[in-house]
Amino acid sequence: MGGHLPWGLDRYDPATGRFEHYINDPANPHSLTNNLVWALYEDRHEQLWVSTLGAGLCLLDRSRRSFTRFQPLTGPGSLSDYNVVTMLEDRTGQLWIGTEDRGLNMYHPRTRTFSYVQHDAKRSNSLSSNRIQVLFEDSRGQFWVGTADAGLNLLDRRTGTFRHFTTRQGLPSNIINSIVEDQTGQLWIGTNQGLARFDAARGTFKVYNREDGLQSNEFAINAALRAQSGELYFGGVNGFNVFSPQTLTSNPTVPPVVLTGLLVFNKPVQARQAPGLLRRHITEADTLTLSYREAAVTFQFAALNFIDPQKNRYAYRLDGFDTEWRYVGASHEATYTNLDPGTYTFRVRATNNDGVWNQRGAALTVVVTPPWWKTVWFRLAAAVLAWSGVMSLYLTRTDRLRRRLEQEKLVELNSKKAELLEARLKHEQAVAEMSKAQLENEMLSKNSELASSVMNTVHQNEALLTIKDLLKEALDNQDAQEQRKKLSRVVRLIERAVTPDQHWQHFEQLFNQLHENFLQRLKTTYPQLTSRDIKLCAYLRMNLSSKEIASLMGLTVRGLKTCATGFERKWAWIPPPTWPSLSC
């Protein structure tokens, strides 16, 4: 059976030499969905799958000569795209369907539904593109997916992830049109830029193009097969190629890689002309020194393989700048601009005409010197100055803050001192007032006690004197001599009892307490004073009346005056004006 645009599907019967036609019938839902047949695939159950452009997928029931339609985008589990490009049933019986723009579809016959495998920009190990052109399973059961714009994918069935192979790994193009496996297990991949032999075990590619005898560098989609003889057929835009892979020879020699030239701002640099940059020729040099002004530099390199040298392929990277190798095909130049000051290593590696890589390649240390304002010493000096400025500002602010705090503390301290002084003065004033009051109370108490003692003595002496007078009168009136003796004896006893020395010791102690040891100082100053003189001074200091003093001393008022006059004459002493007069 065969499909052709735009006339539907034809079935050829070799026994009769006739064709049977299958076309779309709008009135028949079991006819072809449209007449634009693109691909045919027969599965292990001899079911024929027919893909169309713009109308999805059909499954032919040969016995009934009718089709089951799988309309795209009709809901969950439906076919994901109107255009089916390729189909493949793997060794597990899983039917894979590659679409033009919506990735892979997996058909589930029990439910007649589809699930999807598509590109996810957030996952680096997802399908590299949703534009599927080729599906292929090799002799080892590895499942390969060729895309229209993102190279080759290898499915990891265990994890559901993909490994990618692109021009970076050596493919001549990322447009994959066909895949065939030869008898040695190597894959032959048709692209739009030549034919590639892929050693999957080593991950290496060898590229063939028109110079090797190909009809063209561009091959048709899925127009490839391996014959029973082992020969490979590839159809292209100018016919097809057939060849036996075993008859093709390869070049196993690893090509040396060398640096051949250096350009700064697109001007060639020679070691003799610019000794500051290169000390030796670039091929022999191991270090290149550039100033920050020489920021546009181009390295030229070559692989020393002269068998089809146009097929030599290159990859380079600048350690410290590039994170990955740059695969540049046959280009043998690398240009960098605006490199930051620092130390880099430029590395380049290459293949020969058969894709054999020199993994070690060549290397050159590149030193870009900084401007003076970016040197370590300048940055260090700037850092020191900045640090000094910061520290100066910090110390100034700290000192200002410290002085302000000290001033505030001083003000607070003075305030507290003033408060304490005020409190102390108030306390001392209160204590003084309390002491004064207490002292006055004590003095009043002692004066009262002293006055009481004096008055008691006065009253006692007055009473005794009265008795004495009465006894004397009695004596004067009696005649009996014996009675006179007895009464005289009584009088003498009373006179001794009335003596002013009674209670004197207690009196003197109280008096000294109240009058700052007056009597003690008087005795010390005038040791010749008699006891009567001392008593007289004490009574005078107490501001007692003449009558009271006479009573205390057992004298009459006249007798007291006589005694005082004698005292003044004897010692030439004049009593203070505040003392009372002793006049009768």
Side-chain angles (χ1 to χ4, degrees), residues 214-346:
L214 296 180
Q215 47 79 34
S216 170
N217 285 336
E218 185 172 356
F219 292 88
I221 297 175
N222 288 314
L225 63 85
R226 186 182 79 186
Q228 291 183 352
S229 63
E231 291 180 319
L232 303 183
Y233 290 78
F234 282 88
V237 296
N238 290 326
F240 67 92
N241 288 99
V242 57
F243 60 91
S244 178
Q246 296 89 332
T247 63
L248 301 179
T249 59
S250 61
N251 178 10
T253 304
V254 176
V257 182
V258 295
L259 296 173
T260 59
L262 175 68
L263 288 78
V264 175
F265 292 111
N266 292 325
K267 295 182 179 180
V269 176
Q270 301 296 331
R272 294 181 180 179
Q273 297 175 353
L277 296 179
L278 285 174
R279 298 179 181 178
R280 294 177 291 179
H281 189 272
I282 188 67
T283 304
E284 301 175 349
D286 55 6
T287 302
L288 171 66
T289 302
L290 301 171
S291 74
Y292 71 97
R293 296 186 182 91
E294 299 161 334
V297 58
T298 299
F299 302 96
Q300 296 177 333
F301 40 82
L304 303 183
N305 171 63
F306 304 102
I307 302 175
D308 290 338
Q310 68 275 10
K311 292 186 178 181
N312 295 343
R313 297 293 180 264
Y314 299 92
Y316 65 84
R317 67 180 292 175
L318 186 63
D319 291 346
F321 185 84
D322 293 321
T323 58
E324 297 179 348
W325 285 92
R326 300 188 184 193
Y327 292 87
V328 293
S331 174
H332 51 84
E333 286 187 351
T335 300
Y336 290 93
T337 60
N338 298 323
L339 292 176
D340 292 330
T343 300
Y344 306 88
T345 301
F346 177 73

Side-chain angles (χ1 to χ4, degrees), residues 421-490:
L421 181 59
E422 183 179 0
R424 180 179 177 183
L425 290 176
K426 290 182 178 179
H427 176 70
E428 290 179 352
Q429 184 177 2
V431 171
E433 291 177 355
M434 291 178 61
S435 299
K436 181 179 179 181
Q438 183 178 3
L439 182 60
E440 289 177 352
N441 291 334
E442 290 180 356
M443 291 182 66
L444 289 174
S445 175
K446 291 188 180 294
N447 280 331
S448 176
E449 184 179 354
L450 182 59
S452 175
S453 176
V454 171
M455 293 308 297
N456 288 334
T457 303
V458 170
H459 292 317
Q460 183 181 10
N461 287 344
E462 287 179 350
L464 291 177
L465 289 174
T466 301
I467 296 173
K468 176 182 177 182
D469 291 339
L470 293 175
L471 288 176
K472 283 183 177 181
E473 290 177 3
L475 289 175
D476 291 340
N477 295 326
Q478 292 179 0
D479 295 332
Q481 187 68 27
E482 187 65 25
Q483 186 178 7
R484 184 179 290 113
K485 290 180 181 181
K486 291 180 180 182
L487 290 174
S488 296
R489 185 178 178 184
V490 172

